[in-house]
Amino acid sequence: MIIRKLSIGQLGDGAYGIRFRDGLVNSKLESDASMSGMMVAIDIVIIRVGNAVIALEHDGHVDEFDPTLTETAARLAVARLREAAQGG
């Protein structure tokens, strides 16, 4: 099992990400994985915009998981939170 900080960049008024991987077999998702069995990937991002907070969770299995979509979804969430904060 691997749990580490997920580098998510500058999002909203504050953001923190966690990356969880388990059961990796020679996967390109994590270079230091030496595990066997089924692979599960989960990215969790907590984002604050003004007084609102959102928890974004992106998960999947080895053949279905695209880690680049986590940041794309997080940026979209920030845009929607800002829009909602402005009454839109």
Side-chain angles (χ1 to χ4, degrees):
M1 175 175 11
I2 297 172
I3 299 174
R4 64 172 57 125
K5 183 177 179 185
L6 173 63
S7 178
I8 200 69
Q10 295 294 112
L11 292 173
D13 296 324
Y16 186 80
I18 299 170
R19 169 167 281 165
F20 171 82
R21 303 288 186 266
D22 194 14
L24 297 157
V25 180
N26 299 324
S27 172
K28 294 178 183 174
L29 291 175
E30 297 291 335
S31 61
D32 61 350
S34 60
M35 295 175 268
S36 62
M38 178 189 252
M39 185 282 212
V40 175
I42 302 171
D43 289 347
I44 300 171
V45 182
I46 308 296
I47 307 166
R48 182 178 66 84
V49 175
N51 291 329
V53 175
I54 188 168
L56 178 108
E57 182 255 342
H58 176 214
D59 62 40
H61 296 285
V62 70
D63 293 335
E64 303 168 358
F65 188 77
D66 182 357
T68 61
L69 293 178
T70 301
E71 187 172 348
T72 302
R75 292 192 183 286
L76 210 80
V78 168
R80 290 190 179 176
L81 278 174
R82 286 193 173 134
E83 181 181 314
Q86 295 173 356

